[in-house]
Structures are given as structure tokens and as C-alpha cells.
Amino acid sequence: MYIRQVLTSRQMNPLINFCITAFVATSVSGLLLKLPFFAPTASISMAASVLLLVPGFPLINAVADMFKGHVNTGLARWMMASLLTLATCIGVVIAMAIWGLREWA
């Protein structure tokens, strides 16, 4: 969360922000899993590391806008939430590829 807040305070593009934050979170949790103490919780820690990046608020607003009849606004918010999710996935995949993290796959 600290990385996300620092990048936001520097007015970084949200897509790049989410990608970098997902990379750092996956890297930290994945590299900690190399220690024997943390190994039994591999799937939980890898999934929990990026939960802060789930764009729930934009998705809820997108559905609410569409139900209110504002289809264009709803589609725009849904598309932004989808792009944020894609950026998060890219960050996770890059971290897994660089560090050779196969615990989550």
C-alpha cells in the first residue's frame, strides 16, 4: 500500500501505478515464500498480496451507472476497472517470471 500511495502522490498514471504496485507486492510475498517458515501458506500469501489492487469501487459504480441509465459513463468506468485489473495481472506475471515464482501457478 505504501508504494501505491507514493506513486499516487507523485501523480503517476493509475495503470502504471497498479502494475508497479502488483510487481512489488508479488515480489515481496513471493521471495518471502522462499523461506521455509512461510512455505505452507504459498497460495494464500500470493493472492493476498494483490488484494489491495482489486478495483471494486469502479466496478460497483459502473454497474450503478448502467442501472441508472448512464450507459456511456458505466461503460467507461467498467473499461477503466478492466484496464486496472489487466495492469495488476501484468505486474504479477512479470514478478513471477523474473523471480521464478511457481508457487502460485
Side-chain angles (χ1 to χ4, degrees):
M1 190 64 169
Y2 176 75
I3 299 294
R4 182 178 173 190
Q5 290 176 343
V6 166
L7 294 175
T8 301
S9 70
R10 295 183 183 179
Q11 298 181 354
M12 179 78 67
N13 183 325
L15 299 175
I16 297 171
N17 184 343
F18 271 53
C19 186
I20 292 172
T21 305
F23 174 80
V24 170
T26 304
S27 296
V28 169
S29 68
L31 293 175
L32 281 175
L33 290 175
K34 300 287 185 186
L35 301 173
F37 180 74
F38 296 109
T41 61
S43 61
I44 296 170
S45 64
M46 292 289 281
S49 67
V50 292
L51 277 178
L52 68 120
L53 299 172
V54 174
F57 191 69
L59 287 172
I60 291 171
N61 284 342
V63 172
D65 284 342
M66 286 192 212
F67 277 126
K68 291 177 188 174
H70 306 291
V71 177
N72 287 338
T73 304
L75 287 175
R77 289 186 189 195
W78 175 77
M79 192 61 187
M80 187 60 183
S82 297
L83 288 173
L84 291 173
T85 303
L86 178 65
T88 301
C89 292
I90 290 171
V92 169
V93 168
I94 289 173
M96 289 176 68
I98 287 176
W99 304 116
L101 303 172
R102 301 287 178 225
E103 289 86 3
W104 202 15

